[in-house]
Amino acid sequence: MKPLSILLLAVLATLPPVLAGGATERPRVIVSSDIGGTDFDDFQSFVHLLVYADSIDLEGMIASPWGAARNRKENILRIVDCYAKDFPNLRTYSDRYPAPDALRALTKQGGTDSADLRGFGERTEGSDWIIRCAHRDDPRPLWLLVWGGIDDLAQALHDDPTIKAKLRVYWIGGPNKKWSTTAYDYIAREHRDLWIIEANSTYVGWFTGGNQADDLDNTAFVTAHLKGRGALGDYFATIAPKIKMGDSPSLAYLFGPTPENPAADSWGGHFVRAWERPRVTFERPPTVADVVETYAIIDLIYRPAGPPPAGAKAALVVDKQEFAGFADAAGAWHFLFSPKLAATWSYRISSSHPGLDGRTGGFTSVNPAPGLAAQPSARFPNWWTDDPDPRWSEGPNQGALTVSRWREQFLRDFAAHMLRCQAPRP
């Protein structure tokens, strides 16, 4: 074999799947995002999504919970307006870039608030769109990339469980999970056979670890490769002075050769079969001596004495954030929470019900034990999650190294795509 051929094979062997030869089938994609909620990175990930829109069949963009704003669909449409300015240039590189009006037509408003204790509520434009797309006469699976609350998916599954076999879900969980605990609880209870990647910490590898030298630094990258790169690049640069893009691993995952196999390497990480989904119920106020798994669902149950006042409301206050509580049919109040990191937590209850107001408690959360990867749950046959093997951690973030190891490659590729916005193809 010629030396050049040997060198080429060696180089290909070190490349992530997306460069060594991606999936032959264009993935069908819907993105559900809490854009305009509590973090800026959804805006950044939408810029990333749109410059790669020629590589997928984008069928929907849904504004979902959580956040104070009502019509967050407008946030997506503003980014599409930037895309429209760059569209003439982008189109010279690929005729598969969708027209701006086509993108506007598939942008939908999902739920505006998290689901109640049932885990579902009323159908939304977003949940209906998931169902409609899933029923299209297309043999390919429908990938749902969830960048925020999982409530619209829960609603769609409740309204039409038959779509489940067609869905492939990559959910950026972690901090998002605490805002949609009831919806997650419903899915884990009633739809255990759903095909889903629950990425609670793997996604952190997009902005933590890896090669951050020179222009690959989170701040330097914006200046070197985004500012001045068309309307989308300038928009990105105004969002924040550094990259986070914590939702982008879900899209990059699809560019690997075997998206149906989450155990395989990809820019979006690799994953392990999920063990039993952790859920802990406390019938008494817990203390810091009570230990739970990070990302577990915690159900704090209170049975206050005395009749509730009319229209009683209650919220769990944790880390200066409030999470609604719900009374069940028997009058017991449930406060669901999911810790986003390993820590010692304290809480209090704020309520118009005198039997609840001012109640306090605490607990300690610890990261999943590495040995849990060897205990895949038969009850969740298609559920995948972060690899807890310490070899793949970036600090406390389990699985993050399965993304950060490719940082130079995926950022260089993103930079090359952004050049398309700046000028037409020579």
Side-chain angles (χ1 to χ4, degrees):
M1 184 178 289
K2 295 181 180 180
L4 182 59
S5 299
I6 295 174
L7 178 60
L8 179 60
L9 288 175
V11 170
L12 287 174
T14 65
L15 291 177
V18 69
L19 290 184
T24 57
E25 187 175 77
R26 290 170 59 81
R28 303 172 59 208
V29 176
I30 292 178
V31 170
S32 173
S33 165
D34 63 349
I35 187 168
T38 58
D39 205 347
F40 64 85
D41 68 333
D42 292 68
F43 293 90
Q44 296 183 337
S45 288
F46 264 106
V47 171
H48 180 262
L49 169 73
L50 292 178
V51 296
Y52 282 89
D54 65 322
S55 300
I56 61 176
D57 287 337
L58 185 56
E59 298 192 12
M61 297 185 289
I62 300 170
S64 64
W66 188 85
R70 299 292 86 186
N71 186 16
R72 293 193 303 279
K73 170 181 170 180
E74 296 302 318
N75 292 315
I76 300 176
L77 293 175
R78 279 196 292 272
I79 302 176
V80 174
D81 289 342
C82 293
Y83 171 87
K85 296 176 182 177
D86 293 339
F87 179 67
N89 288 340
L90 291 168
R91 192 76 170 189
T92 66
Y93 292 87
S94 171
D95 61 5
R96 288 187 176 273
Y97 277 107
D101 282 344
L103 293 179
R104 295 182 180 107
L106 55 78
T107 301
K108 309 296 178 182
Q109 179 61 53
T112 53
D113 294 300
S114 300
D116 62 24
L117 190 58
R118 297 170 298 169
F120 58 87
E122 300 297 325
R123 55 192 286 191
T124 69
E125 184 183 36
S127 65
D128 283 349
W129 191 250
I130 294 171
I131 294 170
R132 178 176 173 179
C133 292
H135 281 301
R136 284 177 177 158
D137 186 14
D138 192 315
R140 296 172 296 169
L142 177 62
W143 287 88
L144 180 61
L145 312 182
V146 184
W147 299 354
I150 204 165
D151 305 72
D152 284 301
L153 170 60
Q155 188 66 46
L157 290 171
H158 170 266
D159 294 345
D160 188 351
T162 67
I163 67 172
K164 195 173 0 179
K166 205 61 176 285
L167 297 180
R168 302 292 184 270
V169 181
Y170 188 127
W171 181 37
I172 304 295
N176 291 324
K177 193 172 182 179
K178 64 183 177 180
W179 299 114
S180 56
T181 51
T182 54
Y184 177 91
D185 203 36
Y186 164 73
I187 294 173
R189 183 176 66 246
E190 302 293 339
H191 300 284
R192 292 171 178 161
D193 55 339
L194 176 68
W195 196 109
I196 181 172
I197 294 172
E198 180 184 337
N200 290 315
S201 55
T202 296
Y203 73 93
V204 174
W206 196 273
F207 54 90
T208 301
N211 184 356
Q212 300 206 21
D214 303 322
D215 63 324
L216 296 177
D217 169 78
N218 284 338
T219 301
F221 188 86
V222 174
T223 302
H225 300 294
L226 293 165
K227 189 175 183 180
R229 300 296 192 268
L232 283 172
D234 284 339
Y235 181 81
F236 190 109
T238 66
I239 297 166
K242 60 182 180 180
I243 63 169
K244 184 179 181 185
M245 302 170 63
D247 300 303
S248 294
S250 63
L251 177 66
Y253 174 84
L254 300 181
F255 300 148
T258 55
E260 293 277 357
N261 178 18
D265 289 334
S266 78
W267 283 356
H270 77 238
F271 301 88
V272 298
R273 277 280 312 283
W275 48 94
E276 281 294 308
R277 296 297 75 205
R279 191 183 195 283
V280 182
T281 299
F282 288 105
E283 297 269 359
R284 55 161 178 82
T287 70
V288 294
D290 291 298
V291 179
V292 302
E293 189 177 304
T294 304
Y295 314 118
I297 294 294
I298 301 170
D299 186 3
L300 304 166
I301 301 178
Y302 283 82
R303 295 179 172 82
K313 293 184 178 181
L316 187 72
V317 183
V318 185
D319 200 22
K320 299 181 181 180
Q321 295 177 321
E322 294 190 1
F323 305 88
F326 303 97
D328 64 22
W333 282 78
H334 296 254
F335 299 89
L336 271 63
F337 182 72
S338 180
K340 67 177 183 179
L341 49 80
T344 298
W345 302 85
S346 62
Y347 71 84
R348 66 177 177 85
I349 295 175
S350 174
S351 178
S352 60
H353 193 312
L356 291 172
D357 191 48
R359 303 291 293 272
T360 61
F363 54 89
T364 300
S365 60
V366 297
N367 276 350
L372 289 171
Q375 303 174 31
S377 171
R379 297 200 307 158
F380 297 87
N382 305 312
W383 209 292
W384 299 78
T385 195
D386 311 295
D387 189 338
D389 187 328
R391 294 178 302 167
W392 298 113
S393 294
E394 286 281 6
N397 302 298
Q398 294 181 329
L401 188 59
T402 70
V403 172
S404 66
R405 63 190 294 215
W406 309 117
R407 177 183 172 90
E408 181 171 2
Q409 289 93 328
F410 62 65
L411 285 185
R412 294 291 182 211
D413 197 64
F414 179 37
H417 275 72
M418 289 305 301
L419 286 172
R420 298 180 176 189
C421 300
Q422 187 177 18
R425 186 171 189 167

